Amino acid sequence: MTVIPTPGRLAAGGQVRHATPRQRRRQAVARCGASGPCLWGGKHFSSGKEPVENSPATPMLQHLVYKIKSTGPITVAEYMKEVLTNPVKGYYVHRDMLGEKGDFITSPEISQIFGELLGIWFISEWMATGKSATFQLVELGPGRGTLAGDILRVFSQLGSVLKKCDISIHLVEVSQKLSEIQALTLTEEKVPLERDAESPVYMKGVTKSGIPVSWYRDLQDVPKEHSFYVAHEFFDVLPVHKFQKTPQGWREVLIDIDPQVSDKLRFVLAPCATPAEAFIQHDETRDHVEVCPEAGVIIQELSQRIALTGGAALIADYGHDGTKTDTFRGFCGHKLHDVLIAPGTADLTADVDFSYLRRMAQGTVASLGPIKQQTFLKNMGIDVRLKVLLDKSTEPSLRQQLLQGYDMLMNPKKMGERFNFFALLPHQRLHARSHEINANHSKPSPSPVAGFSELTWQ
Ligand code: SAH
């Protein structure tokens, strides 16, 4: 049984998110969302399949053409990395792509309830693992900072539970633009931000509730202290290598310049084996696969940290369990977008292979999931939280927004079944320790983890 304070205590301080101008824009997205695919369609639901015919020679395309002409065809992983996170021209680096005017919308942007339930999950795990004196909340790829903001609101509301705990926030973000937006969302304006572009901690500030917050480009630079990690729609933007089975064996899909059309890219197959083939399982039965070594490196880093210092990681994304083949795709203006057209103007993404994440964690930490978002949020008490917020809201538009947000998160045809939750936990979190076994003279029963089994309110 997972025990955390009652929803009543949360509700006492719990409020509908204040509607700042930014949030009013978000509400507009959620409101229109239910009525048309262009608004709620986003990254995950778009039915727009029409490819863009003209390929504008974007600065990124020119950069890639130059690169390919100099050194030959590039892997899909190198293409994704350049297009998304090149420090000068990368898609993520200088723009805000989230929301109505952007290219896609995510769960934290759709409903405040999403972040609140994740906040409860972290407190629940912190309590279940002995209420450590320090609590580092580390978010990978925090977008606009909305999820962290909603989690922090729960922490404030449960201040009496966390009052002796030394909390700090650590954001791993490569985007200059998004880190500025995160600072606007999270920090207290009166306390100036400290900036040092050369330092691994490139920005520091203090949140509205007085908690220190630091920004890093790399997880490696986050202090190796007792931490709780969250990654929402982060793993899907990490670069994948694509492979195709041929009579000669696995061949990597590469990106080359089309010899017939200037400034046009095309896929080709590598003539011989390439190093990333090492990431394909020996008993692989699919004939097309995508592998994401960077995801493996990050999972191993998270696993080692959790094994060493305790804590947990919660990963939520769309993905599969080692079954899908071609999932590499682009999104622009809430529609599917040809990945090779106008690079740098559209998001690129691939489904997360959770079976690979599990293998990378194995032996170091325990993993749970993936389970469907619908099941996770239900177990976390989304229905109770929705009811509390509905009872508190008198404004009809706000009530409607809450209900539409709930539908988008939970409906199996929308995000309910497309998104999965996956957790990394220290082995001892799921297995009673030896002294407990001896004391009880009985087989230890695993202690349930909220979300992956029903959360019990007390
Ligand atoms: N978690 C947010 C945003 C998802 S978009 C949400 O759900 O709303 C992906 C996020 O990851 C962006 O903030 C992007 O800038 C960041 N990102 C992409 N590649 C990254 C990398 N290699 N390292 C750190 N952050 C990265």
Side-chain angles (χ1 to χ4, degrees):
M1 185 171 65
T2 310
V3 180
I4 71 157
T6 63
R9 284 176 65 191
L10 178 62
Q15 288 173 0
V16 177
R17 268 196 300 225
H18 293 295
T20 60
R22 178 179 64 77
Q23 284 164 331
R24 277 196 288 277
R25 281 198 297 279
R26 181 173 345 127
Q27 286 164 13
V29 173
R31 263 203 306 281
C32 303
S35 60
C38 66
L39 292 177
W40 67 259
K43 200 171 180 182
H44 321 291
F45 308 118
S46 174
S47 57
K49 290 197 179 71
E50 55 284 22
V52 180
E53 290 304 334
N54 303 323
S55 176
T58 57
M60 178 56 73
L61 180 62
Q62 284 162 355
H63 165 70
L64 292 165
V65 165
Y66 181 74
K67 192 179 171 81
I68 295 169
K69 278 184 179 159
S70 322
T71 57
I74 57 172
T75 63
V76 171
E78 195 173 353
Y79 180 78
M80 265 183 104
K81 199 177 172 80
E82 280 294 311
V83 171
L84 295 182
T85 58
N86 176 295
V88 182
K89 306 183 185 77
Y91 169 79
Y92 274 110
V93 178
H94 297 296
R95 69 175 75 202
D96 176 13
M97 68 297 297
L98 285 142
E100 186 187 6
K101 290 195 179 137
D103 295 322
F104 57 90
I105 187 155
T106 59
S107 294
E109 300 294 329
I110 288 166
S111 172
Q112 67 178 84
I113 303 180
F114 185 83
E116 289 171 350
L117 296 180
L118 265 56
I120 290 169
W121 192 87
F122 286 110
I123 294 179
S124 156
E125 274 310 294
W126 172 77
M127 291 172 82
T129 51
K131 301 187 183 176
S132 60
T134 57
F135 187 131
Q136 288 197 157
L137 178 70
V138 184
E139 183 171 4
L140 308 180
R144 285 179 173 171
T146 308
L147 175 59
D150 289 339
I151 292 176
L152 282 177
R153 200 175 51 256
V154 172
F155 287 6
S156 295
Q157 286 160 2
L158 296 179
S160 59
V161 178
L162 289 162
K163 68 175 180 286
K164 289 197 186 120
C165 187
D166 183 10
I167 304 174
S168 54
I169 309 298
H170 304 263
L171 304 177
V172 181
E173 176 58 81
V174 284
S175 166
Q176 175 67 33
K177 174 78 180 177
L178 288 177
S179 64
E180 296 296 334
I181 296 175
Q182 290 151 19
L184 273 178
T185 307
L186 298 172
T187 61
E188 172 54 69
E189 276 169 38
K190 288 181 200 124
V191 184
L193 292 164
E194 286 174 43
R195 295 166 201 271
D196 181 355
E198 303 306 314
S199 165
V201 192
Y202 64 87
M203 200 158 73
K204 277 186 190 176
V206 176
T207 69
K208 289 168 184 153
S209 50
I211 294 172
V213 50
S214 310
W215 278 262
Y216 314 76
R217 288 184 194 87
D218 199 318
L219 172 63
Q220 298 274 357
D221 296 319
V222 176
K224 287 189 169 65
E225 305 283 343
H226 187 86
S227 299
F228 290 87
Y229 301 87
V230 58
H232 182 260
E233 289 217 37
F234 168 75
F235 280 89
D236 70 276
V237 300
L238 299 179
V240 294
H241 291 264
K242 283 180 76 69
F243 283 89
Q244 193 174 315
K245 202 178 261 172
T246 72
Q248 292 74 41
W250 288 106
R251 289 292 178 264
E252 183 157 9
V253 177
L254 303 176
I255 293 169
D256 195 4
I257 301 163
D258 189 332
Q260 314 289 338
V261 191
S262 71
D263 284 348
K264 189 167 186 289
L265 301 174
R266 61 167 188 170
F267 288 113
V268 292
L269 273 191
C272 51
T274 48
E277 187 185 328
F279 293 94
I280 303 175
Q281 291 285 96
H282 293 301
D283 54 356
E284 181 57 64
T285 54
R286 289 170 287 175
D287 54 7
H288 287 71
V289 287
E290 293 164 342
V291 294
C292 185
E294 212 171 297
V297 170
I298 293 174
I299 289 292
Q300 284 176 341
E301 170 75 18
L302 290 174
S303 303
Q304 282 158 12
R305 284 167 170 254
I306 292 168
L308 195 70
T309 61
L314 190 61
I315 293 160
D317 226 309
Y318 42 81
H320 57 93
D321 227 355
T323 51
K324 286 199 183 168
T325 52
D326 292 305
T327 72
F328 177 46
R329 59 202 185 280
F331 285 94
C332 182
H334 297 260
K335 288 189 171 166
L336 273 172
H337 178 93
D338 186 323
V339 289
L340 298 184
I341 300 277
T345 64
D347 187 30
L348 300 180
T349 172
D351 280 16
V352 175
D353 179 351
F354 287 100
S355 69
Y356 175 63
L357 303 194
R358 195 182 309 115
R359 278 202 306 280
M360 290 299 105
Q362 226 155 30
T364 314
V365 287
S367 64
L368 284 178
I371 63 164
K372 302 287 172 216
Q373 170 157 305
Q374 186 192 37
T375 312
F376 182 89
L377 297 179
K378 194 100 177 155
N379 283 340
M380 288 304 302
I382 190 170
D383 294 314
V384 178
R385 184 62 184 148
L386 177 71
K387 187 173 180 314
V388 168
L389 289 176
L390 284 175
D391 289 348
K392 279 181 161 285
S393 349
T394 44
E395 226 184 284
S397 67
L398 211 50
R399 291 173 64 84
Q400 197 192 5
Q401 183 211 334
L402 286 166
L403 290 167
Q404 286 179 345
Y406 176 93
D407 182 55
M408 285 166 78
L409 297 182
M410 295 293 283
N411 190 325
K413 294 200 179 106
K414 296 179 182 173
M415 289 169 142
E417 288 199 348
R418 285 169 200 248
F419 279 78
N420 299 278
F421 277 77
F422 178 76
L424 303 177
L425 304 151
H427 282 299
Q428 62 268 27
R429 171 67 184 90
L430 299 186
H431 305 288
R433 294 185 187 95
S434 55
H435 66 268
E436 289 160 354
I437 303 168
N438 294 339
N440 294 335
H441 298 292
S442 62
K443 222 171 156 232
S445 60
S447 151
V449 174
F452 296 87
S453 58
E454 209 169 314
L455 171 71
T456 306
W457 302 95
Q458 275 198 353

